[in-house]
Each structure stands twice: as C-alpha cells, then as structure tokens.
C-alpha cells in the first residue's frame, strides 16, 4: 500500500490521517481501515487529508463507499478536511462534490457542534453465558420504552436476543451490546472478540439453540450487516423509527 494511516482519539471523536499517494490498488485496504474505525462507533470520524495526494480521481470513491456504510450503520458523521490543492480540486468535481469536505479540522469540528443532534445510547458488557440473552432482551425493551418507541419493543428485543445468543453459541467471548437512537433508525449492535464473519442467514438452521439466529434478524431489520473491529467484529441491525 502506497499510503499509511495514523489514528488518534481526541476524546469525543476518532481522527485518522491518510498520508501518501492514493492509488486504485489502495482503495480496498483503505476502505477496510476506515470501516474498522466506524466499528468503534466514535462520536464522529474525522479524516485528515492534509498529507494525501491523488492522481486517479476514481480512487476517491473509497470515501463515498465509507459514507454510504456510515449512513446505514452506525450513523456516525464522517467529515473530510484539509486536502492539498490537487486533491481538493478532484473532491470538488463530479460525483465527489457532495462529500462533507472542510478546509481544516476547526471547520469540521464547528460543523459537528452546529449540526450534531442528541444521540441517546445504551451500552452493556455481557458474559458469554445463557442468561446474557435474556438480559439483552430486557435492556432493549427498557431502552425502547425510555425513548418512547413501544412499537419497536418486540423487534428490538428479539434482535438483541439473537445477536447475543449467536455470540454465546458460536463465539464464546465477552461482548458489548450497544443500542443507539438516530433520527431515522434505532441501531442494535453486538461486538465480540472473534474476527470470524457471521454465517449468512441461509446457513442458520431454525432449530439452533439461539432460535432462528440471523435469519430472524434479517426478517425483522430494515438492514443488517457486520464490520471488522480492532479486536473482533460488530454485527449490527437497524430498525426504522
């Protein structure tokens, strides 16, 4: 890879500096790196482009792809800032001109302060034991009632139960249950300590111990998926509010 990425946490947001010359061959590893940053569910992902040089405009589509994923889950703002003159010209042209681009980090932060909405969330650490699935159901139920979403109690609690049961039955690691309310969606996510991708719904047998697993999640959710994280993966599902 002809570029390198340097990541730092500024307390509220995650900042990733992309440095070097971006080529088409770099887009897949860069996308994976940015998606891993999203999987950490920071307050915002700030992409520092001050050291990025681009000759091939199509390689910038990597940022479009990452913003598309961020809009589906976890709803994290992704802001780009500080590109050099040539990179800036490419970003302001054609399909890329709608990307959230700012002159510098201060401008990006100011936008966050002006536009950020309240994003209530619930986070719970769970052991890989059978009682955790029942606890996840109770946490999801309580969150929906607290946020005045009684119509989402049933699907959210079932999704939380199945995601946690999947970790208990197949992964056997500590996990983090995360429910987050966004303007359009309620997100339910479970992070575990295994990098192994979840089985697709077609491979989940309805008679497995955790119920119908991801098959049920796929039926209930508006959308669902998974992302690799720093030390495992996150499996997520979104419900329309």
């Amino acid at each position: 890879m002809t570029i390198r990425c340097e990541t730092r946490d500024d307390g509220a947001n995650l900042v990733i500096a992309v440095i070097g010359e971006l080529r088409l061959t770099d887009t897949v590893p860069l996308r994976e790196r940015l998606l891993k940053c999203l999987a950490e569910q920071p307050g915002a992902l700030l992409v520092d482009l001050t050291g990025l040089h681009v000759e091939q405009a199509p390689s910038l589509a990597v940022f479009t792809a990452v913003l598309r994923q961020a809009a589906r889950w976890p709803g994290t703002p992704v802001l780009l800032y500080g590109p050099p003159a040539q990179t800036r010209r490419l970003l302001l042209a054609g399909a890329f001109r709608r990307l959230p681009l700012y002159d510098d980090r201060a401008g990006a932060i100011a936008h966050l302060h002006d536009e950020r909405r309240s994003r209530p969330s619930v986070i719970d650490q769970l052991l890989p034991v059978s009682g955790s699935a029942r606890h996840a159901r109770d946490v999801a139920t309580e969150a929906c009632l607290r946020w005045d979403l009684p119509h989402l109690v049933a699907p959210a609690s079932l999704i939380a139960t199945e995601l946690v049961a999947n970790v208990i039955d197949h992964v056997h690691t500590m996990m983090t249950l995360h429910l987050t309310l966004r303007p359009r969606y309620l997100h339910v996510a479970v992070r575990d300590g295994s990098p192994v991708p979840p089985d697709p719904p077609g491979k989940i047998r309805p008679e497995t111990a955790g119920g119908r697993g991801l098959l049920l999640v796929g039926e209930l959710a508006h959308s669902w998926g998974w992302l690799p994280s720093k030390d495992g993966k996150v499996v997520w599902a979104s419900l329309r509010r």
Side-chain angles (χ1 to χ4, degrees):
M1 191 163 70
T2 58
I3 60 172
R4 73 178 192 274
C5 298
E6 298 177 356
T7 307
R8 66 183 186 276
D9 190 334
D10 70 0
N13 310 303
L14 199 58
V15 182
I16 180 167
V18 185
I19 304 165
E21 183 179 342
L22 180 63
R23 300 173 182 172
L24 285 172
T25 53
D26 299 318
T27 56
V28 172
L30 177 58
R31 177 179 177 273
E32 292 178 352
R33 182 67 180 271
L34 292 170
L35 291 181
K36 283 187 177 182
C37 290
L38 281 180
E40 303 302 315
Q41 301 179 66
L45 178 59
L46 305 178
V47 185
D48 181 353
L49 303 181
T50 55
L52 181 68
H53 301 278
V54 179
E55 297 296 333
Q56 300 169 300
S59 60
L60 291 169
V62 63
F63 298 115
T64 303
V66 170
L67 264 78
R68 188 179 300 120
Q69 171 60 54
R72 295 176 66 209
W73 182 88
T76 297
V78 180
L79 308 179
L80 317 177
Y81 71 87
Q86 170 64 12
T87 302
R88 183 180 180 83
R89 281 195 294 271
L90 295 175
L91 283 167
L92 293 176
F96 308 117
R97 63 178 179 272
R98 295 194 178 189
L99 291 173
L101 181 64
Y102 299 87
D103 291 338
D104 50 30
R105 184 174 179 275
I109 294 294
H111 172 83
L112 283 176
H113 289 165
D114 290 341
E115 300 294 333
R116 180 174 283 159
R117 301 182 183 183
S118 175
R119 298 181 179 189
S121 65
V122 174
I123 302 175
D124 209 345
Q125 305 290 328
L126 303 175
L127 293 166
V129 296
S130 58
S132 291
R134 183 172 60 252
H135 179 72
R137 180 191 65 205
D138 294 341
V139 169
T141 298
E142 181 182 342
C144 288
L145 294 177
R146 183 189 312 163
W147 297 333
D148 195 25
L149 299 170
H151 57 292
L152 294 185
V153 167
S157 60
L158 283 169
I159 287 172
T161 300
E162 293 300 338
L163 294 183
V164 168
N166 198 55
V167 177
I168 295 168
D169 294 339
H170 305 292
V171 181
H172 318 299
T173 69
M174 290 288 295
M175 70 194 96
T176 303
L177 171 65
H178 197 162
L179 289 95
T180 312
L181 188 61
R182 296 293 191 249
R184 295 178 60 193
Y185 299 101
L186 171 65
H187 297 304
V188 184
V190 172
R191 177 175 177 170
D192 63 54
S194 170
V196 178
D199 285 333
K203 294 182 65 178
I204 304 297
R205 298 192 306 273
E207 65 273 15
T208 54
R212 291 191 292 163
L214 296 181
L215 182 63
L216 179 59
V217 172
E219 291 173 351
L220 293 172
H222 171 261
S223 60
W224 78 275
W226 74 280
L227 290 177
S229 64
K230 182 171 61 177
D231 53 5
K233 66 177 177 296
V234 177
V235 184
W236 59 269
S238 297
L239 291 163
R240 285 189 184 276
R241 290 182 60 173

